[in-house]
Amino acid sequence: LEKINKIPFDIIHVHSPFSSGVLGLYIARKKRIPIVASFHTKYYDDFKEATKSHLLAKFAVKIIIEFYNNVDEVWTVNNATLNTLREYGFKKNVKVIPNGADFAPIEDKDKYRGIIKELYKLEEDIVLLFVGQMIKQKNIEMLLKAFSMLNREEINFKAFLVGSGKDEEYFKELSISLGLKDRVIFTGKILDRELLKAYYAGADLFVFPSLYDTSAIVIREAAAFGCPALVIEGSNVAEGIIDGVNGFLSPNDPFLYAQKIKEVISNEDLLKKVGEKAKESLYISWEKVVDMVVEEYTHLINLKKLNCNF
C-alpha cells in the first residue's frame, strides 16, 4: 500500500470484482480519480458450478453487482455480455469495448499449414480445431459426442484440442470410450505462439461450442488465419456471426452439430469464402482496441479535471 500510494495514477481499471477490484476501488476513492471495471465473466455459472446451489449463486451475483454499482464506468466485451450483466440486475450505463487478437493476418498460410501436416503426417484429413481450457463449462463433452457421430459415418477428419484444464483427463477417457483414439488429439497447453499459429493455419474449421464464454479471443485468432468458426446459436460468442457468411451456427445438440460440420466441410469453396469474410469482419487487432481504450480513458480523466465528482 505504501508503494501504491506513491504512484501518481490518473485512472484505475480493474478486471475483477474480488480482492484486486476492491483494492482498485479503495485507491480510486482515496486519490479521487476515476475507476473503470470490466465485466467479462459469467459469474453465476462459476458460482453454481462451485456451490451446486442456485440460491448461493444468486446471492454471490448480488454481491458482485454491488461492486459494479460502486465504480464510475463499467465496460463489457459485447452486447450479449451486456445482456448477461442486465440479467444479473445491473441497471447503470455500460460501454462495449471489444476484445482484440494479437495474431495479425498472414500471407504465408501454407507455410504454417505445412508444419502441422508434416508433424502429424496429414494427407487428405479435414482438420478441426478447438483452442481453450479443458473444462466441462466449455461444452467439450457435446463436441466429442459430435465427433463420434462423424466417425461412425466414416468422415475422414482429425480434431486437435489445444489447451489444458481440470477436466482434461475426463475428456481424454471419454474420447477413448467414444472410439476417437485415432481421430482426436489432445495437444495440451501450447505456449509457443508460432506453433499455435500453425494449428490455426492448418485448420479447416474452428469448432467452439462453448456456452460459458462471453467473447472468445480464440475465434478472432482463428479469423485472422481465415479459419471460420462453428459456434452455438444464441451463445454470447455467436454475436456478430452470420451463418454461412462469416461463420457457422448450430443448435446445442451433438447430432445437429455433427451434421453441420459434415455439411460445412463438404463445401471447400464455402469454407474458404466464409473464412475470408471472418477475417474481414471478426478480426480486430489489439492496437485498434487500445486506441478505443485511450479515447475512453482520456474522456474520464478530462471529466475529473472539470471537477466532476468521482
Side-chain angles (χ1 to χ4, degrees), residues 11-25:
I11 191 167
I12 300 290
H13 189 151
V14 299
H15 285 264
S16 164
F18 304 114
S19 55
S20 61
V22 172
L23 176 59
L25 185 59

Side-chain angles (χ1 to χ4, degrees), residues 126-130 147 150 157-161 202-207 261 265:
I126 290 292
V127 177
L128 307 176
L129 176 67
F130 170 92
F147 289 161
L150 291 175
F157 74 95
K158 278 284 193 295
F160 295 95
L161 274 63
D204 295 294
L205 182 66
F206 189 71
V207 286
I261 293 175
I265 63 177

Side-chain angles (χ1 to χ4, degrees), residues 24-176:
L25 185 59
Y26 166 79
I27 297 166
R29 293 297 171 252
K30 185 173 182 181
K31 292 182 176 289
R32 299 181 63 80
I33 58 175
I35 176 171
V36 177
S38 283
F39 175 88
H40 40 55
T41 302
K42 288 189 172 181
Y43 292 107
Y44 173 83
D45 295 35
D46 288 340
F47 292 139
K48 180 71 181 296
E49 173 71 16
T51 66
K52 312 301 181 189
S53 166
H54 168 72
L55 287 177
L56 286 175
K58 290 285 284 185
F59 177 73
V61 164
K62 186 177 179 181
I63 295 173
I64 294 297
I65 294 306
E66 286 179 8
F67 169 82
Y68 284 101
N69 279 325
N70 282 315
V71 302
D72 300 309
E73 198 163 275
V74 175
W75 295 3
T76 191
V77 288
N78 55 24
N79 287 304
T81 308
L82 190 158
N83 291 334
T84 299
L85 189 52
R86 295 284 186 237
E87 289 168 7
Y88 287 179
F90 186 76
K91 294 181 171 59
K92 293 183 178 180
N93 289 336
V94 180
K95 288 189 175 172
V96 174
I97 305 291
N99 280 328
D102 61 359
F103 285 155
I106 57 172
E107 298 299 327
D108 54 348
K109 181 176 176 178
D110 287 342
K111 167 193 156 186
Y112 283 98
R113 189 178 178 89
I115 295 172
I116 295 303
K117 282 187 171 290
E118 177 64 26
L119 188 60
Y120 294 99
K121 309 302 178 189
L122 301 177
E123 294 181 4
E124 299 302 318
D125 302 88
I126 290 292
V127 177
L128 307 176
L129 176 67
F130 170 92
V131 179
Q133 282 183 286
M134 293 293 127
I135 55 176
K136 291 179 181 178
Q137 294 98 311
K138 298 278 189 176
N139 210 16
I140 297 171
E141 187 167 335
M142 189 282 286
L143 182 62
L144 292 173
K145 289 177 179 177
F147 289 161
S148 73
M149 293 174 184
L150 291 175
N151 192 39
R152 285 201 294 271
E153 292 191 42
E154 299 183 349
I155 304 297
N156 191 27
F157 74 95
K158 278 284 193 295
F160 295 95
L161 274 63
V162 177
S164 61
K166 64 183 180 69
D167 297 318
E168 186 174 352
E169 289 306 314
Y170 170 81
F171 293 133
K172 286 179 178 178
E173 291 173 9
L174 177 61
S175 178
I176 292 171

